[in-house]
Amino acid sequence: MLLRLLNGVALLAWPFLVWLTITQPQWRGVTVLLALLFVLRVWTLRRAAGPMARVMLLLALVGSALCLASLLLRSQHLLLWYPLVVNTLMLLLFGGSLWSPMPLVERLARLREPDLPPRAVRYTRRVTQVWCGFFIFNGSVALLTCLLNDVTLWTLWNGCISYLLMGTLMGGEWLLRQRIRKQA
């Protein structure tokens, strides 16, 4: 439980911790802590099953690899690429599910409501498509911030704006879903 909480906090704080390690040389040791957290996450997810668990495991592997590579190569700028990897893998997960009989958002919805009406099934497919668009947009901007190599702009986007956009998308979708349910 504590490990899960630490991992969650570290992932949310990732952009700020990366900013700290790049702009404040005395804080470069934070990269070691991040690497350890990612390695512990790999260890806890090693037996997890399902597509989402595999994506989380892959993200933990990539995160630990980026941390270790940045330490070995003494290049903290490698850490900037993690948000791009996250968006790419989430796009593959959500987008890949569109070619399956049940898109990811529908699978999640059926956990709560196993007998979805056809209208809800269409809605969940559309929400999955919207998330794919979000991951394309967010990943593109994350890539641009990496290429510009401006750590302040990178931190602003990946540590603030993208979180606000994601929260707005989640909240907006929830409000729309509530409205649609009331009409049904």
Side-chain angles (χ1 to χ4, degrees), residues 21-88:
T21 63
I22 291 174
T23 62
Q24 307 297 316
Q26 68 271 23
W27 284 90
R28 293 222 167 107
V30 169
T31 308
V32 174
L33 176 64
L34 291 171
L36 288 173
L37 283 172
F38 276 122
V39 168
L40 284 171
R41 185 154 175 83
V42 167
W43 185 75
T44 61
L45 291 168
R46 71 191 182 285
R47 292 189 187 107
M52 187 61 127
R54 286 191 296 271
V55 167
M56 292 301 117
L57 176 61
L58 188 55
L59 286 173
L61 286 167
V62 169
S64 56
L66 285 172
C67 288
L68 294 173
S70 73
L71 288 167
L72 292 172
L73 299 173
R74 298 176 192 231
S75 175
Q76 272 57 42
H77 287 269
L78 292 172
L79 301 173
L80 300 177
W81 295 90
Y82 188 72
L84 176 62
V85 173
V86 170
N87 280 280
T88 302

Side-chain angles (χ1 to χ4, degrees), residues 42-168:
V42 167
W43 185 75
T44 61
L45 291 168
R46 71 191 182 285
R47 292 189 187 107
M52 187 61 127
R54 286 191 296 271
V55 167
M56 292 301 117
L57 176 61
L58 188 55
L59 286 173
L61 286 167
V62 169
S64 56
L66 285 172
C67 288
L68 294 173
S70 73
L71 288 167
L72 292 172
L73 299 173
R74 298 176 192 231
S75 175
Q76 272 57 42
H77 287 269
L78 292 172
L79 301 173
L80 300 177
W81 295 90
Y82 188 72
L84 176 62
V85 173
V86 170
N87 280 280
T88 302
L89 288 177
M90 295 306 282
L91 174 61
L92 291 172
L93 178 67
F94 278 71
S97 77
L98 288 170
W99 277 274
S100 71
M102 195 181 304
L104 183 62
V105 174
E106 181 182 345
R107 279 185 239 158
L108 294 172
R110 285 187 186 276
L111 293 174
R112 230 172 220 220
E113 195 175 327
D115 298 320
L116 287 177
R119 181 177 181 197
V121 171
R122 287 189 302 275
Y123 176 78
T124 58
R125 177 169 287 281
R126 179 60 66 193
V127 171
T128 304
Q129 292 167 340
V130 168
W131 275 106
C132 288
F134 173 80
F135 294 128
I136 290 169
F137 172 73
N138 195 46
S140 298
V141 177
L143 172 62
L144 181 63
T145 63
C146 288
L147 295 174
L148 291 174
N149 205 22
D150 180 340
V151 74
T152 303
L153 177 63
W154 180 89
T155 305
L156 177 64
W157 180 265
N158 293 289
C160 185
I161 296 171
S162 69
Y163 289 163
L164 289 172
L165 290 174
M166 191 180 311
T168 301

Side-chain angles (χ1 to χ4, degrees), residues 10-26:
L11 288 175
L12 284 175
W14 176 267
F16 304 104
L17 295 172
V18 169
W19 175 83
L20 202 59
T21 63
I22 291 174
T23 62
Q24 307 297 316
Q26 68 271 23

